[in-house]
Amino acid sequence: MDYPTIAKPGLDDFSVRPNLDRYDALRESFSWQELRRELDGLPGGGLNLAHEAIDRHAARRGDKVAMYWEGAGGEEEQYTFAQMRDLTNRFANVLRGLGIEKGDRVFIFMGRVPELYVAFFGILKAGAIAGPLFSAFGPDPVRDRLEDSGAKVLVVTPELRGRIAHILGDLPDLKHVIVVNKNGRSQDPLAPGDISYEEAMASASPDFDIVPTTEEDYSIMHYTSGTTGKPKGAVHAHLAALQHMATGRWALDLHEDDIYWCTADPGWVTGTSYGMSAPWTNGVSQVIYEGGFRASAWYQVIQKYGVTVWYTAPTAIRMLMKAGDDIPARYDLSTLRHTCSVGEPLNPEAVIWGEKVINNQPFHDNWWQTETGAILIANYPFQDIRPGSMGRPIPGVRTAIVDENGNEVEPGEEGDLAVQPGWPSMFRAYWRNQEMYDSKFKNGWYITGDRARMDSDGYFWFVGRADDVINTAGHLVGPFEVESALIEHPAVAEAGVIGKPDPVAMEVVKAFVSLHEGHEPTDRLRNEIMGFARQKLSAAVAPREIEIVDSLPKTRSGKIMRRLLKARELGLPEGDTSTLEED
Ligand code: AMP
């Protein structure tokens, strides 16, 4: 079904005039170098994301609130830009005292408490590379990431430390564990050798000269899943700050007086690029809400803080839709003037639902991924929305649809979504995996791994992933990671993992497993395997469904054919089965 275009008012009829008020002309005249002049830079010509996000604003309007924090238990705290500058300086001093040097990896494994944000920017000031981890992870994903990155320091809360205590001894590069006991929530004593964040911060100086980083020095790394192998660390440079700032203005339409709320977990790239850098490089106040998803609690956050710009995700929107339209009707959402979504396909019904139910605000879908570091394609406030489309590329970036040889195809044709390299927030490497990095480029294009179409007006439409990566509730899950965890269960001989369509989470992880001799396919065993995977991986990544089968379809070379498992699951044609191993 085609959904009617949502027409936007004339520019003068917006309550706040959009920052991006013309498209073609700006795309033609735009230059990143010119915008770069708006950043301070460091003495000597360098660039540091923490300076641009925090210190630059602390110097000009130090009393402005950077962060309104609301804890899961209703605690409230506020931090001004000046306070954030001093706290991040202290943390940078703590790291320096531990011998952390430029380029070292410092990882963060904690929920959404203010100390996470302090640690993150303190790491950048110290010249180290910040690696935030999704707080719902179980021990296996945490170990993989700390091991691969060679992280020297882990900043963690007592609860999450407890979850991964048994893997810490497996990590020879990890020299220090800093434990953040937010508001004394934990009564447990520190483990021997651990450092108390609170004690270290109390004795650290609030003055710190940022380690001179260049715009190309590495700043942040996020692990992202692929079809094969373990997750890869996509590494970004300090220059990404420029694109965070620009897209914060164009796509999120951030203005000086906004109150902004991003619901993404800081362990994923949206949580750092848009839950930290984009609002703060624009000097905008943001709300950080520690609690999990509950429709009424979320609407309450918007009402209480007077949120004006809201950035969330399709699964969350679909959960809000499911919770019912009577709930938002009980809250005052009248401050909201711009709402955006990212991470998975946003169905047209969800765009339209926003317009009907959320203060007449249709959700503006935009597209990007870990490797791109920032928004590349967006629906802008001034631009009519074609529901179901991800929008048009941002100024300064060229995106295209290409065929298998990397040649552009005609408008309307499906192909690989590709980007012309050179945008500021582009990933600079997969950590210690040059071969994998090189494999992402073809004929001068970066190939994103997504299939899409472009219409004749330059709007992009998502078709699907080009690989087996599963997108469940906006989290990319590599089937290989899940299969590896499953086969560690003593009863499991083989495992094949696919994404199964789901009306709310878009896809859920489904596993097919065959058993070793001597094990019976009982419900009890299935539940046990499910619990085993959850404990190792986390509920967000572990299979939601497990089916025990006699054997798995494999190629003659012994590779499990996930494509076939999926086709069979969905009742679709099996396609080419010429490489299928005979039973
Ligand atoms: P991640 O690297 O974890 O941020 O995931 C990025 C992937 O999520 C993209 O490559 C897409 O497959 C998917 N994705 C992100 N935004 C959208 C969107 N607006 N529409 C459809 N898929 C999206």
Side-chain angles (χ1 to χ4, degrees), residues 343-345 365-370 390 450 462 465 471 476:
E344 326 148 49
D365 188 17
N366 53 60
W367 179 93
W368 60 293
Q369 56 180 193
T370 304
M390 307 187 289
D450 284 352
F462 183 80
R465 291 283 309 183
N471 189 330
L476 293 196

Side-chain angles (χ1 to χ4, degrees), residues 223-225 268-270 314 341-346 365-371 377 390 448-450 462 464-465 471 474-476 506:
Y223 277 81
T224 178
S225 297
W268 304 110
V269 72
T270 311
S341 163
V342 75
E344 326 148 49
L346 182 66
D365 188 17
N366 53 60
W367 179 93
W368 60 293
Q369 56 180 193
T370 304
E371 288 85 345
I377 297 176
M390 307 187 289
T448 65
D450 284 352
F462 183 80
R465 291 283 309 183
N471 189 330
H475 302 153
L476 293 196
M506 192 173 96

Side-chain angles (χ1 to χ4, degrees), residues 44 55 57 75 89 95 97 211 218 220 235 249 309 319 341 360 403 407 409-410 421 425 457 459 494 515-516 544 571:
D55 295 13
H57 308 287
E75 313 99 293
N89 280 349
L95 292 178
V211 169
Y218 294 165
I220 307 170
V235 192
R249 289 181 192 171
V309 178
M319 282 170 21
S341 163
N360 307 318
D403 64 17
N407 295 316
V409 302
E410 292 295 315
S425 64
D457 298 318
Y459 282 72
E494 290 173 325
L515 303 178
H516 284 299
R544 184 90 69 83

Side-chain angles (χ1 to χ4, degrees), residues 20 130-131 152 176 189 193 202 235 270 295 319 359 418-419 494 551:
L20 188 72
K152 278 197 181 163
H176 305 284
V235 192
T270 311
M319 282 170 21
N359 197 34
V419 192
E494 290 173 325
S551 68

Side-chain angles (χ1 to χ4, degrees), residues 102 112 124 153 157 247 287 348 356 369 405 428 514 522:
K102 192 166 163 179
R112 260 173 263 202
L124 298 183
V153 178
T157 52
T247 50
V287 178
K356 279 202 325 237
Q369 56 180 193
N405 300 316
R428 299 301 198 262
S514 66
T522 60

Side-chain angles (χ1 to χ4, degrees), residues 11 13 63 215 243 271 307 332 522 537:
L11 285 169
D13 295 330
D63 291 345
E215 59 181 41
Q243 198 171 332
V307 172
D332 178 3
T522 60
L537 296 166

Side-chain angles (χ1 to χ4, degrees), residues 189-206:
L190 278 185
D194 282 3
I195 297 163
S196 155
Y197 169 89
E198 289 73 21
E199 282 173 24
M201 287 290 277
S203 56
S205 161

Side-chain angles (χ1 to χ4, degrees), residues 102 143 147 329 404 424 435 462 494 557:
K102 192 166 163 179
R143 182 183 36 225
E147 198 167 49
E404 63 280 9
E435 200 184 327
F462 183 80
E494 290 173 325
S557 57

